């Protein structure tokens, strides 16, 4: 009797032990499975404030989180190098030596300057990196901007103009001919920065990544979907008549730099009139234009940034002349709520807002 009871207890104990062992094995297997199945693909995000604007990044895939601080560091370096407000930057050093002596640049710095100057010449000085004194006077992104007096504007204007700049391609020097002349690269360096970040992403072999630097955007690769697949990044084009989160259209465009200029982001209002930050070197006032926004898409980020600023200033007729260029594409929004789009973008661009109509 006692032996039988003991046998039952032993059998139960053995069964229980077997159960525990089985459960442990299952657990172990699950743990192993969790280790051996590839990590679910992840999207990392980063938000920074660099070059006086918001930077947002999205990177996907293994190790992609590390790209976010790398890209931010790259942009911080560029900001140090090109900010018009810093004494050690390229424009800071050149401006400080205005009327004193030429400044020698590194070849890469000189090359950027050369491209911006050549672009300015191409546009007959409408795009003008010597706009510095006017940008400082208007201080549109500053604490309490107001409309300067006509005298202040004509004084600032007297320092604006490419004829005040002497460049020496042999010795890589730049000279501004009198104190008060000042360079400003606000219209070109963000596009260049986005191009550099795009190269960083591409060279890293990341699964997918997207950067937006104050309206200048680039994407590469793909992002994972919840069902285990992948999909393209979809870039929203900001509605110039809407709020900061409204988009008028979407663009699917990898491995290109997408630069937008408009009067809706940096401006102030005085006596019911809006004053935006893109200044006309012919008048000293914000450029009068029949456009609300211009987006330029291409491989050369510096050039696309310059182009978007210049096309915005130049207006619809000029945009129409440049819709079918070889090396860049354009999407422009005019003040009649019409969208003008290069034919090469027909598949990539989709109008999503009924506030606008597609004109081309
Ligand atoms: P954002 O800097 O807002 O992306 P843009 O690329 O169009 O927009 O550049 C606007 C900046 O360009 C201004 O803040 C100023 O620093 C500079 N700028 C203003 N007017 C001109 C101009 N006529 N030519 C060249 N640069 C300009
Ligand atoms: Mg620009």
């Amino acid at each position: 009797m006692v032996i039988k009871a003991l046998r039952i207890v032993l059998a139960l104990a053995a069964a229980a032990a077997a159960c525990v062992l089985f459960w442990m094995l299952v657990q172990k297997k699950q743990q192993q499975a969790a280790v051996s199945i590839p990590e679910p693909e992840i999207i990392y995000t980063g938000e920074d404030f660099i070059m006086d604007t918001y930077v947002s990044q999205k990177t996907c895939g293994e190790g992609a989180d590390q790209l976010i601080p790398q890209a931010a560091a790259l942009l911080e370096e560029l900001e140090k190098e090109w900010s018009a407000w810093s004494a050690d930057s390229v424009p800071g050093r050149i401006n400080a030596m205005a009327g004193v002596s030429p400044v020698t640049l590194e070849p890469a710095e000189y090359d950027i300057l050369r491209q911006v100057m050549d672009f300015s010449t191409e546009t007959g000085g409408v795009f003008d990196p010597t706009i510095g004194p006017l940008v400082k006077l208007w201080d549109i992104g500053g604490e309490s901007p107001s409309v300067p007096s006509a005298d202040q504007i004509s004084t600032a204007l007297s320092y604006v103009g490419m004829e005040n700049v002497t460049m020496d391609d042999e010795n890589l020097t730049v000279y501004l001919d009198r104190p008060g002349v000042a360079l400003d690269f606000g219209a070109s360096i963000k596009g260049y920065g986005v191009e550099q970040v795009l190269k960083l992403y591409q060279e890293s072999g990341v699964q997918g990544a997207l950067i937006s630097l104050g309206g200048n955007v680039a994407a590469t690769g793909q992002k994972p979907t919840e069902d285990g697949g992948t999909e393209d990044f979809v870039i929203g084009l900001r509605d110039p008549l809407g709020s900061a989160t409204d988009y008028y259209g979407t663009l699917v465009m990898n491995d290109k730099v997408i630069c937008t200029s408009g009067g809706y982001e940096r401006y102030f209002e005085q006596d019911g009139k809006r004053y935006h930050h893109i200044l006309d070197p012919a008048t000293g006032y914000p450029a009068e234009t029949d456009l609300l926004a211009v987006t330029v898409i291409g491989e050369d980020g510096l050039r696309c940034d310059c182009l978007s600023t210049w096309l915005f200033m130049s207006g619809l007729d000029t945009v129409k002349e440049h819709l079918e260029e070889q090396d860049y594409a354009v999407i422009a929004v005019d003040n009649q709520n019409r969208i003008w789009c290069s034919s090469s973008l027909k598949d990539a661009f989709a109008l999503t807002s009924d506030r606008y109509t597609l004109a081309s």
Side-chain angles (χ1 to χ4, degrees):
M1 192 65 193
V2 175
I3 291 174
K4 199 173 174 191
L6 206 64
R7 269 202 197 125
I8 291 170
V9 169
L10 281 175
L12 284 173
C19 278
V20 168
L21 193 66
F22 179 68
W23 180 79
M24 281 168 64
L25 280 173
V26 168
Q27 281 294 100
K28 180 124 180 110
K29 201 153 181 209
Q30 280 173 350
Q31 281 166 10
Q32 280 172 348
V35 172
S36 61
I37 288 175
E39 287 274 343
E41 288 155 306
I42 308 166
I43 301 183
Y44 301 97
T45 55
E47 302 292 333
D48 290 281
F49 192 81
I50 310 172
M51 296 187 180
D52 203 24
T53 195
Y54 292 97
V55 183
S56 63
Q57 297 185 69
K58 217 171 248 181
T59 62
C60 321
E62 222 181 302
D65 52 335
Q66 294 176 19
L67 284 173
I68 290 174
Q70 283 173 26
L74 186 160
L75 293 174
E76 271 159 6
E77 273 306 303
L78 272 182
E79 178 180 25
K80 265 199 226 148
E81 202 178 352
W82 292 98
S83 164
W85 308 92
S86 140
D88 305 334
S89 66
V90 172
R93 282 183 288 138
I94 298 171
N95 297 348
M97 286 293 142
V100 181
S101 74
V103 172
T104 308
L105 299 183
E106 295 294 325
E109 294 170 341
Y110 190 87
D111 187 48
I112 290 178
L113 208 86
R114 181 83 263 171
Q115 287 180 52
V116 174
M117 294 299 176
D118 288 351
F119 185 81
S120 178
T121 309
E122 249 181 78
T123 67
V126 172
F127 181 97
D128 190 341
T130 70
I131 200 84
L134 268 175
V135 172
K136 289 221 160 80
L137 175 65
W138 280 89
D139 192 21
I140 287 179
E143 295 277 286
S144 50
S146 63
V147 180
S149 71
D151 273 358
Q152 286 175 308
I153 288 180
S154 72
T155 305
L157 262 181
S158 71
Y159 293 98
V160 174
M162 292 289 292
E163 65 281 4
N164 299 309
V165 187
T166 308
M167 292 186 73
D168 179 342
D169 289 353
E170 294 265 297
N171 297 306
L172 310 187
T173 62
V174 186
Y175 177 60
L176 305 181
D177 68 2
R178 65 212 153 96
V181 178
L183 299 177
D184 178 296
F185 294 92
S188 44
I189 284 301
K190 291 195 202 84
Y192 178 78
V194 168
E195 185 191 324
Q196 298 307 304
V197 170
L198 176 62
K199 283 189 179 140
L200 171 83
Y201 290 161
Q202 288 166 331
E203 283 160 15
S204 76
V206 70
Q207 183 193 16
L210 174 114
I211 170 125
S212 168
L213 170 64
N216 302 286
V217 182
T220 190
Q222 300 246 302
K223 64 180 163 113
T225 54
E226 283 187 359
D227 60 5
T230 56
E231 65 186 7
D232 290 326
F233 288 99
V234 178
I235 295 156
L237 298 174
R238 164 104 188 256
D239 181 347
L241 298 174
S243 72
T245 52
D246 289 340
Y247 297 97
Y248 70 85
T250 59
L251 190 61
V252 175
M253 181 61 64
N254 267 5
D255 303 311
K256 294 268 165 69
V257 180
I258 300 157
C259 293
T260 300
S261 289
Y264 53 86
E265 201 140 295
R266 276 173 209 258
Y267 65 86
F268 69 92
E269 273 168 10
Q270 191 173 314
D271 302 327
K273 192 168 156 50
R274 181 179 286 197
Y275 297 88
H276 64 73
H277 71 318
I278 299 175
L279 304 170
D280 184 345
T283 64
Y285 285 82
E288 298 277 345
T289 177
D290 52 2
L291 298 173
L292 305 180
V294 179
T295 297
V296 176
I297 301 136
E299 272 168 23
D300 183 338
L302 184 77
R303 189 165 165 79
C304 288
D305 200 351
C306 292
L307 278 163
S308 70
T309 306
W310 170 66
L311 285 172
F312 172 73
M313 299 175 73
S314 303
L316 181 57
D317 286 344
T318 309
V319 162
K320 284 186 197 166
E321 287 165 21
H322 293 276
L323 278 176
E324 304 304 328
E325 294 287 344
Q326 286 291 313
D327 58 340
Y328 65 90
V330 183
I331 306 173
V333 185
D334 75 12
N335 61 9
Q336 309 293 308
N337 293 15
R338 293 173 301 185
I339 311 286
W340 302 81
C341 179
S342 301
S343 58
S344 60
L345 297 173
K346 284 278 143 59
D347 293 335
F349 170 73
L351 178 61
T352 54
S353 161
D354 49 19
R355 181 180 270 154
Y356 301 95
T357 55
L358 208 52
S360 80

